Amino acid sequence: MTSSTAGGPRRLGVMGGTFDPIHHGHLVAASEVAHLFRLDEVVFVPTGRPWQKTERKVAAAEDRYLMTVIATASNPRFSVSRVDVDRPGSTYTIDTLRDMREIHGPDTELFFITGADALAKMISWHNAEEMFTLAHFVGCTRPGHHLKDPGLPDGRVSLVEVPALSISSTECRARVRDGEPIWYLVPDGIVQYINKRSLYRE
Ligand code: ATP
Ligand code: MG
């Protein structure tokens, strides 16, 4: 596999998410973007308390963090960061990007990976301008969500097609609650972890 380490800045993907739980849709999107953009590494960053999801109960950050570690452990180019889990208060993407910049220094190019639904929301955030100066944004297709270019800043956002997996964490949680299987929607270790910790039962 070609890597930018042969020359030029390090190329680091940043995949933010609640990961409640992490599923194959997240993993395929990260893997495909890593390939398309020749990323050296993709760091998954589970949110602490997601500011958009205050209306529902989110699993403990530590459980979501551990599930993300379990799901990514077998891929040598995937890693997990605790920056959002360890930062007090609500999680904002701008803070994630500032922390990544600080940790990885100016010689690393950041690629923030996001699905069509999340990208559409981000464009309207008040600090979108600054976010686009910190990272290149990669919007991935996602079944059921329209990926369009509503006046995206020139050269700072790429829209890419990834293999379509119609999976969401919401659906996984509902299936667990209803006693339906989630095998093959999430990695095997995640099925086991959810059972072991009795997550999403009510
Ligand atoms: P929830 O239903 O709880 O919102 P989710 O499945 O949307 O969960 P998130 O943790 O909210 O998962 O998503 C993290 C990121 O992954 C977002 O940018 C989202 O758009 C993207 N993503 C999630 N599922 C898919 C999928 N099936 N295909 C492509 N991108 C996805
Ligand atoms: Mg979501």
Side-chain angles (χ1 to χ4, degrees), residues 53 114-123 140-147:
K53 291 182 178 171
T114 170
D117 56 318
L119 181 66
K121 282 181 203 149
M122 276 176 196
I123 307 296
C140 304
T141 48
R142 179 172 188 184
H145 300 274
H146 200 59
L147 186 58

PDB file of all heavy atoms in Angstrom, residues 53 114-123 140-147:
ATOM      1  N   LYS A  53     -26.854  15.416  21.124  1.00  0.00           N
ATOM      2  CA  LYS A  53     -27.630  14.247  21.525  1.00  0.00           C
ATOM      3  C   LYS A  53     -28.060  14.313  22.977  1.00  0.00           C
ATOM      4  O   LYS A  53     -28.120  13.315  23.672  1.00  0.00           O
ATOM      5  CB  LYS A  53     -26.827  12.976  21.234  1.00  0.00           C
ATOM      6  CG  LYS A  53     -26.682  12.736  19.739  1.00  0.00           C
ATOM      7  CD  LYS A  53     -25.941  11.483  19.369  1.00  0.00           C
ATOM      8  CE  LYS A  53     -25.893  11.329  17.842  1.00  0.00           C
ATOM      9  NZ  LYS A  53     -25.022  10.251  17.403  1.00  0.00           N
ATOM     10  N   THR A 114     -16.471  12.215   7.680  1.00  0.00           N
ATOM     11  CA  THR A 114     -17.838  12.334   8.187  1.00  0.00           C
ATOM     12  C   THR A 114     -18.845  11.790   7.169  1.00  0.00           C
ATOM     13  O   THR A 114     -18.579  11.788   5.974  1.00  0.00           O
ATOM     14  CB  THR A 114     -18.129  13.814   8.534  1.00  0.00           C
ATOM     15  OG1 THR A 114     -19.501  13.976   8.791  1.00  0.00           O
ATOM     16  CG2 THR A 114     -17.767  14.731   7.412  1.00  0.00           C
ATOM     17  N   GLY A 115     -19.972  11.316   7.674  1.00  0.00           N
ATOM     18  CA  GLY A 115     -21.029  10.847   6.789  1.00  0.00           C
ATOM     19  C   GLY A 115     -21.856  12.007   6.267  1.00  0.00           C
ATOM     20  O   GLY A 115     -21.770  13.124   6.785  1.00  0.00           O
ATOM     21  N   ALA A 116     -22.655  11.734   5.241  1.00  0.00           N
ATOM     22  CA  ALA A 116     -23.447  12.767   4.580  1.00  0.00           C
ATOM     23  C   ALA A 116     -24.333  13.534   5.564  1.00  0.00           C
ATOM     24  O   ALA A 116     -24.434  14.758   5.499  1.00  0.00           O
ATOM     25  CB  ALA A 116     -24.321  12.127   3.500  1.00  0.00           C
ATOM     26  N   ASP A 117     -24.941  12.821   6.505  1.00  0.00           N
ATOM     27  CA  ASP A 117     -25.857  13.478   7.451  1.00  0.00           C
ATOM     28  C   ASP A 117     -25.116  14.452   8.358  1.00  0.00           C
ATOM     29  O   ASP A 117     -25.527  15.597   8.556  1.00  0.00           O
ATOM     30  CB  ASP A 117     -26.606  12.430   8.289  1.00  0.00           C
ATOM     31  CG  ASP A 117     -25.665  11.487   9.046  1.00  0.00           C
ATOM     32  OD1 ASP A 117     -24.657  11.049   8.452  1.00  0.00           O
ATOM     33  OD2 ASP A 117     -25.938  11.197  10.221  1.00  0.00           O
ATOM     34  N   ALA A 118     -23.989  13.999   8.893  1.00  0.00           N
ATOM     35  CA  ALA A 118     -23.224  14.829   9.822  1.00  0.00           C
ATOM     36  C   ALA A 118     -22.609  16.031   9.100  1.00  0.00           C
ATOM     37  O   ALA A 118     -22.584  17.134   9.632  1.00  0.00           O
ATOM     38  CB  ALA A 118     -22.132  13.996  10.496  1.00  0.00           C
ATOM     39  N   LEU A 119     -22.147  15.816   7.876  1.00  0.00           N
ATOM     40  CA  LEU A 119     -21.528  16.914   7.121  1.00  0.00           C
ATOM     41  C   LEU A 119     -22.534  18.035   6.872  1.00  0.00           C
ATOM     42  O   LEU A 119     -22.247  19.217   7.066  1.00  0.00           O
ATOM     43  CB  LEU A 119     -20.961  16.405   5.791  1.00  0.00           C
ATOM     44  CG  LEU A 119     -20.282  17.467   4.931  1.00  0.00           C
ATOM     45  CD1 LEU A 119     -19.018  17.993   5.616  1.00  0.00           C
ATOM     46  CD2 LEU A 119     -19.941  16.925   3.554  1.00  0.00           C
ATOM     47  N   ALA A 120     -23.741  17.637   6.475  1.00  0.00           N
ATOM     48  CA  ALA A 120     -24.780  18.629   6.180  1.00  0.00           C
ATOM     49  C   ALA A 120     -25.036  19.511   7.402  1.00  0.00           C
ATOM     50  O   ALA A 120     -25.204  20.721   7.283  1.00  0.00           O
ATOM     51  CB  ALA A 120     -26.063  17.920   5.749  1.00  0.00           C
ATOM     52  N   LYS A 121     -25.034  18.908   8.595  1.00  0.00           N
ATOM     53  CA  LYS A 121     -25.264  19.683   9.820  1.00  0.00           C
ATOM     54  C   LYS A 121     -24.096  20.605  10.115  1.00  0.00           C
ATOM     55  O   LYS A 121     -24.279  21.741  10.540  1.00  0.00           O
ATOM     56  CB  LYS A 121     -25.473  18.739  11.007  1.00  0.00           C
ATOM     57  CG  LYS A 121     -26.861  18.118  11.050  1.00  0.00           C
ATOM     58  CD  LYS A 121     -27.002  17.202  12.263  1.00  0.00           C
ATOM     59  CE  LYS A 121     -28.108  16.175  12.044  1.00  0.00           C
ATOM     60  NZ  LYS A 121     -27.824  14.920  12.740  1.00  0.00           N
ATOM     61  N   MET A 122     -22.881  20.113   9.894  1.00  0.00           N
ATOM     62  CA  MET A 122     -21.685  20.891  10.248  1.00  0.00           C
ATOM     63  C   MET A 122     -21.570  22.206   9.508  1.00  0.00           C
ATOM     64  O   MET A 122     -21.084  23.190  10.053  1.00  0.00           O
ATOM     65  CB  MET A 122     -20.432  20.083   9.905  1.00  0.00           C
ATOM     66  CG  MET A 122     -20.059  19.137  10.985  1.00  0.00           C
ATOM     67  SD  MET A 122     -18.671  18.184  10.423  1.00  0.00           S
ATOM     68  CE  MET A 122     -18.762  16.895  11.632  1.00  0.00           C
ATOM     69  N   ILE A 123     -22.015  22.187   8.253  1.00  0.00           N
ATOM     70  CA  ILE A 123     -21.873  23.382   7.426  1.00  0.00           C
ATOM     71  C   ILE A 123     -22.565  24.578   8.086  1.00  0.00           C
ATOM     72  O   ILE A 123     -22.152  25.708   7.927  1.00  0.00           O
ATOM     73  CB  ILE A 123     -22.499  23.143   6.025  1.00  0.00           C
ATOM     74  CG1 ILE A 123     -21.937  21.882   5.390  1.00  0.00           C
ATOM     75  CG2 ILE A 123     -22.302  24.340   5.117  1.00  0.00           C
ATOM     76  CD1 ILE A 123     -20.481  21.892   5.081  1.00  0.00           C
ATOM     77  N   CYS A 140     -18.736  11.347   3.275  1.00  0.00           N
ATOM     78  CA  CYS A 140     -18.985  10.025   2.675  1.00  0.00           C
ATOM     79  C   CYS A 140     -20.473   9.830   2.412  1.00  0.00           C
ATOM     80  O   CYS A 140     -21.307  10.236   3.222  1.00  0.00           O
ATOM     81  CB  CYS A 140     -18.560   8.922   3.633  1.00  0.00           C
ATOM     82  SG  CYS A 140     -16.867   9.024   4.159  1.00  0.00           S
ATOM     83  N   THR A 141     -20.775   9.148   1.335  1.00  0.00           N
ATOM     84  CA  THR A 141     -22.166   8.792   1.061  1.00  0.00           C
ATOM     85  C   THR A 141     -22.676   7.891   2.183  1.00  0.00           C
ATOM     86  O   THR A 141     -21.917   7.108   2.775  1.00  0.00           O
ATOM     87  CB  THR A 141     -22.282   8.037  -0.273  1.00  0.00           C
ATOM     88  OG1 THR A 141     -21.289   7.001  -0.289  1.00  0.00           O
ATOM     89  CG2 THR A 141     -22.075   8.970  -1.449  1.00  0.00           C
ATOM     90  N   ARG A 142     -23.962   8.017   2.466  1.00  0.00           N
ATOM     91  CA  ARG A 142     -24.589   7.168   3.477  1.00  0.00           C
ATOM     92  C   ARG A 142     -26.019   6.892   3.037  1.00  0.00           C
ATOM     93  O   ARG A 142     -26.772   7.836   2.769  1.00  0.00           O
ATOM     94  CB  ARG A 142     -24.575   7.888   4.831  1.00  0.00           C
ATOM     95  CG  ARG A 142     -25.226   7.100   5.920  1.00  0.00           C
ATOM     96  CD  ARG A 142     -25.039   7.722   7.290  1.00  0.00           C
ATOM     97  NE  ARG A 142     -25.550   6.773   8.265  1.00  0.00           N
ATOM     98  CZ  ARG A 142     -25.629   6.978   9.564  1.00  0.00           C
ATOM     99  NH1 ARG A 142     -25.206   8.116  10.064  1.00  0.00           N
ATOM    100  NH2 ARG A 142     -26.120   6.057  10.362  1.00  0.00           N
ATOM    101  N   PRO A 143     -26.402   5.589   2.965  1.00  0.00           N
ATOM    102  CA  PRO A 143     -27.753   5.272   2.496  1.00  0.00           C
ATOM    103  C   PRO A 143     -28.820   6.026   3.292  1.00  0.00           C
ATOM    104  O   PRO A 143     -28.732   6.109   4.517  1.00  0.00           O
ATOM    105  CB  PRO A 143     -27.859   3.758   2.729  1.00  0.00           C
ATOM    106  CG  PRO A 143     -26.451   3.270   2.717  1.00  0.00           C
ATOM    107  CD  PRO A 143     -25.629   4.386   3.303  1.00  0.00           C
ATOM    108  N   GLY A 144     -29.787   6.599   2.576  1.00  0.00           N
ATOM    109  CA  GLY A 144     -30.877   7.313   3.236  1.00  0.00           C
ATOM    110  C   GLY A 144     -30.581   8.784   3.470  1.00  0.00           C
ATOM    111  O   GLY A 144     -31.426   9.527   3.951  1.00  0.00           O
ATOM    112  N   HIS A 145     -29.346   9.207   3.157  1.00  0.00           N
ATOM    113  CA  HIS A 145     -28.996  10.620   3.346  1.00  0.00           C
ATOM    114  C   HIS A 145     -28.443  11.166   2.041  1.00  0.00           C
ATOM    115  O   HIS A 145     -27.613  10.525   1.403  1.00  0.00           O
ATOM    116  CB  HIS A 145     -27.959  10.774   4.461  1.00  0.00           C
ATOM    117  CG  HIS A 145     -28.441  10.261   5.774  1.00  0.00           C
ATOM    118  ND1 HIS A 145     -29.179  11.028   6.646  1.00  0.00           N
ATOM    119  CD2 HIS A 145     -28.318   9.038   6.346  1.00  0.00           C
ATOM    120  CE1 HIS A 145     -29.481  10.297   7.709  1.00  0.00           C
ATOM    121  NE2 HIS A 145     -28.971   9.091   7.551  1.00  0.00           N
ATOM    122  N   HIS A 146     -28.892  12.347   1.714  1.00  0.00           N
ATOM    123  CA  HIS A 146     -28.484  12.939   0.456  1.00  0.00           C
ATOM    124  C   HIS A 146     -27.167  13.685   0.636  1.00  0.00           C
ATOM    125  O   HIS A 146     -27.035  14.502   1.532  1.00  0.00           O
ATOM    126  CB  HIS A 146     -29.579  13.882  -0.036  1.00  0.00           C
ATOM    127  CG  HIS A 146     -29.480  14.148  -1.496  1.00  0.00           C
ATOM    128  ND1 HIS A 146     -29.539  13.128  -2.432  1.00  0.00           N
ATOM    129  CD2 HIS A 146     -29.306  15.289  -2.181  1.00  0.00           C
ATOM    130  CE1 HIS A 146     -29.406  13.650  -3.637  1.00  0.00           C
ATOM    131  NE2 HIS A 146     -29.261  14.962  -3.512  1.00  0.00           N
ATOM    132  N   LEU A 147     -26.178  13.366  -0.196  1.00  0.00           N
ATOM    133  CA  LEU A 147     -24.891  14.046  -0.114  1.00  0.00           C
ATOM    134  C   LEU A 147     -24.815  15.063  -1.235  1.00  0.00           C
ATOM    135  O   LEU A 147     -24.615  14.732  -2.393  1.00  0.00           O
ATOM    136  CB  LEU A 147     -23.756  13.029  -0.249  1.00  0.00           C
ATOM    137  CG  LEU A 147     -22.332  13.536  -0.037  1.00  0.00           C
ATOM    138  CD1 LEU A 147     -22.162  14.154   1.322  1.00  0.00           C
ATOM    139  CD2 LEU A 147     -21.336  12.402  -0.207  1.00  0.00           C
TER     140      LEU A 147
END
